[in-house]
Amino acid sequence: MATSGISRNSDVVKYYCCTICETERSVEVDADFYCKKCLKYFCRTCINSHRQHGRWFYKKSPYGKDKIMKWPLSKKIENYLLACTIHKDEKLTTYCADHSQLCCSKCVELNHSKCSKVTLIPELTNTQPTDLQGLSVKLETVLGEIKSLQINQEASVQSLQRTYKEHGAVMIEQLRGNLNTNIDKCCNSSVGTSGQNLREEMCWSVLSILNEFDNITVKELNEMKDEVISIKGSVTSSIHKCTSVHNDLSQFHEIVQKIGNHKELCLIASIKCKHIIQQALTLLGKSGKVFNVQSNNKHNVRIPSDSDVCYIKGICVLTEGQVLVADYNKRFKLLNQQYQVVSHCDVTEYVSDMCQITPSEVAVALDDNASNTHNVQFITVTQSQLTLGRKLELQHECSGIACHQGELFICSDTALYKYTLYGKQLCRLYEALGYNTVNRCAVSPTGDRLYITCYWPHKLLTLARDGTLLATYSDPALDCLRGLHVTPAGQVLVCGYLPYTVRQVGWEGKSKLAMLATQEDGVWSPASVCYSSTTSSIIVGQWRNDFIWVFRVE
């Protein structure tokens, strides 16, 4: 149960202030104690004046912050609950059911004058359920989940840094090995060679190895360092969000247990509480929000130098809204926000899938059974230009790829493997019988759930972090699963090759939430799908087709 003090919001409001400091010195100082006899709050300095109660002070000592749940609801908290979050100096007066939003008079005037369901708060108190007790339980549960998420994220940062250092050490050791090997070769072939020639040959060998290290290895290490910095920054930002949401959850957990029978405060607290819980669930990747398609458009991504019809096997939306598509023609195309091709680059193997690593870098699964090559190619986007980076060589097929905080998850068509970002295989998380049973994969925003599409039999599997099977989803009307994507809020999107459908599945991986597109909408053999939070759109790539479909959603 949370017993921490109420958090400070952006206005730095002190919800519990020392009564003595506030009334006698006109300053706001955090209270550390509450006395139920004199109904006053005290800071650590002013608590000394409380000894005037004599023997009672020692027998009935004031409640400290360790017993803050016994402190009453302060006037400042009441004012906080009643204050409009947009217009800070205004009090909440109405509730707009059209937007599920509490409003003050200014809100109604500026943004809700045309809404049909704006009701005065006093009129809702008898009809709108509050269930503060149930919300308190929900808050406590979500508080624990947010705390666990924060701990896991901090562990991810440490693991990523440790892995980078280990890989750097391995590369340095390889350099030493190469130097020693070449020196030994020079020494072994020194028969009949003058000392001067031997020294020159050894020097050239050493210089050659060092130049190769400078030109290739140092560049690779710098790329990896940039990746670590970028991922660490992203995770740190997420940790800060966790801290903020955890503080807000703690605040409301405290409020709902103290609020009493004040009907209007109960209603307002209930609505605000549900809102912060929804924010927390979104951060946890458990958003239950169902997409609603508003409009759709198709865009041609073929360019004159394409040798064949496009087949968009993978889609990534970069931080600034640019879209990177992987064409089965062994080509990558960068699209601007108008979905026009602005640059492209080619690879030597067929593309199977791709995923985002950092805001400007993606990892691509390349597979060519004819040449028995299975690789992961890294591509960097800099000022609308695509640059090929390092490549990891794999010993198994590579049909799908996903990344979470520096860990790669790779499908081999029959198994799911976990790798470091630098190519070290950590474990085999899941294995199935038969070909095309582990085709594509995706990871939940928090990394605690993994999703796998089985092209045959037609299933969506949900796994725990350790590979334990949590749920199986199948539908007779969803055959030949191809595209798979998880949004930042945890919504799961899947494509059915037959029939031609794009649908949303619940984050638990157990049920269909919505049919987003069908053949009637123009979708033909969807093969890849991705969500853009920049444009609030779902982008769909198609088999043997030059077009992508863009569905605007709410």
Side-chain angles (χ1 to χ4, degrees), residues 219-232:
K219 178 177 179 291
E220 186 174 320
L221 282 172
N222 286 336
E223 288 177 357
M224 294 175 182
K225 183 178 180 181
D226 291 340
E227 287 170 349
V228 171
I229 292 172
S230 179
I231 294 170
K232 182 180 177 182

Side-chain angles (χ1 to χ4, degrees), residues 473 475 477-478 492-494 501-505 512 514-516:
Y473 171 73
D475 189 331
L478 187 64
V492 182
L493 306 176
V494 292
T501 59
V502 180
R503 65 182 66 192
Q504 179 182 347
V505 178
K512 180 186 80 173
M515 183 71 74
L516 302 174

Side-chain angles (χ1 to χ4, degrees), residues 35-76:
C35 175
K36 67 177 182 179
K37 182 175 182 179
C38 58
L39 307 179
K40 290 180 181 179
Y41 299 97
F42 298 89
C43 65
R44 292 192 179 277
T45 301
C46 295
I47 191 63
N48 292 324
S49 65
H50 191 63
R51 297 179 186 274
Q52 63 185 311
H53 291 302
R55 194 179 289 178
W56 187 91
F57 174 80
Y58 298 100
K59 291 184 178 180
K60 301 287 186 179
S61 56
Y63 295 135
K65 282 193 173 180
D66 59 328
K67 297 179 180 178
I68 200 169
M69 301 308 293
K70 295 184 178 182
W71 295 17
L73 202 68
S74 72
K75 191 65 179 177
K76 295 241 176 181

Side-chain angles (χ1 to χ4, degrees), residues 102-358:
L102 290 162
C103 310
C104 66
S105 56
K106 282 187 179 179
C107 289
V108 174
E109 179 184 350
L110 296 173
N111 302 314
H112 301 274
S113 58
K114 296 182 180 180
C115 296
S116 59
K117 297 179 181 178
V118 178
T119 310
L120 291 171
I121 290 174
E123 295 178 10
L124 288 174
T125 54
N126 293 324
T127 58
Q128 189 87 354
T130 54
D131 187 22
L132 293 182
Q133 185 176 357
L135 285 173
S136 178
V137 174
K138 182 67 174 177
L139 280 165
E140 193 167 349
T141 301
V142 177
L143 266 168
E145 292 179 355
I146 288 288
K147 189 62 179 178
S148 296
L149 172 59
Q150 187 171 344
I151 292 170
N152 289 334
Q153 289 173 330
E154 290 168 350
S156 293
V157 171
Q158 295 173 1
S159 175
L160 181 64
Q161 290 176 316
R162 185 168 56 251
T163 302
Y164 167 71
K165 289 179 180 178
E166 289 174 354
H167 189 72
V170 168
M171 298 182 81
I172 297 295
E173 192 60 37
Q174 287 176 345
L175 169 65
R176 289 175 180 163
N178 289 338
L179 287 171
N180 290 332
T181 300
N182 276 270
I183 290 172
D184 289 343
K185 285 182 179 178
C186 290
C187 292
N188 292 334
S189 61
S190 63
V191 178
T193 305
S194 68
Q196 179 66 28
N197 289 339
L198 175 61
R199 283 195 296 272
E200 289 181 359
E201 187 176 343
M202 289 175 66
C203 286
W204 281 113
S205 295
V206 170
L207 285 173
S208 175
I209 293 170
L210 290 175
N211 285 334
E212 183 180 359
F213 184 83
D214 285 340
N215 294 334
I216 300 175
T217 311
V218 172
K219 178 177 179 291
E220 186 174 320
L221 282 172
N222 286 336
E223 288 177 357
M224 294 175 182
K225 183 178 180 181
D226 291 340
E227 287 170 349
V228 171
I229 292 172
S230 179
I231 294 170
K232 182 180 177 182
S234 176
V235 178
T236 301
S237 175
S238 182
I239 290 172
H240 290 160
K241 290 179 183 177
C242 285
T243 302
S244 176
V245 171
H246 188 277
N247 288 341
D248 289 339
L249 288 167
S250 298
Q251 169 184 316
F252 276 96
H253 185 256
E254 184 177 319
I255 287 173
V256 297
Q257 295 184 73
K258 297 180 178 182
I259 206 162
N261 297 319
H262 192 301
K263 289 187 176 181
E264 289 186 28
L265 281 180
C266 285
L267 178 62
I268 292 171
S270 172
I271 294 171
K272 286 189 172 184
C273 187
K274 290 175 182 176
H275 177 70
I276 191 62
I277 287 175
Q278 188 55 51
Q279 283 184 328
L281 291 175
T282 299
L283 189 60
L284 289 165
K286 296 181 178 180
S287 173
K289 180 182 178 183
V290 178
F291 285 123
N292 182 24
V293 177
Q294 302 297 303
S295 61
N296 62 72
N297 292 284
K298 67 178 181 177
H299 302 268
N300 195 328
V301 295
R302 185 177 177 82
I303 58 178
S305 58
D306 283 343
S307 60
D308 201 350
V309 177
C310 300
Y311 175 4
I312 306 304
K313 294 286 299 262
I315 304 172
C316 270
V317 178
L318 305 178
T319 303
E320 296 182 359
Q322 296 170 305
V323 178
L324 187 63
V325 297
D327 192 328
Y328 198 61
N329 284 317
K330 303 179 182 179
R331 174 165 286 178
F332 294 88
K333 299 170 182 174
L334 184 66
L335 316 180
N336 60 21
Q337 292 193 24
Q338 289 72 47
Y339 304 102
Q340 300 166 328
V341 180
V342 293
S343 64
H344 70 277
C345 70
D346 296 338
V347 290
T348 55
E349 295 93 10
Y350 290 106
V351 179
S352 297
D353 193 13
M354 69 175 171
C355 67
Q356 189 167 8
I357 304 295
T358 71

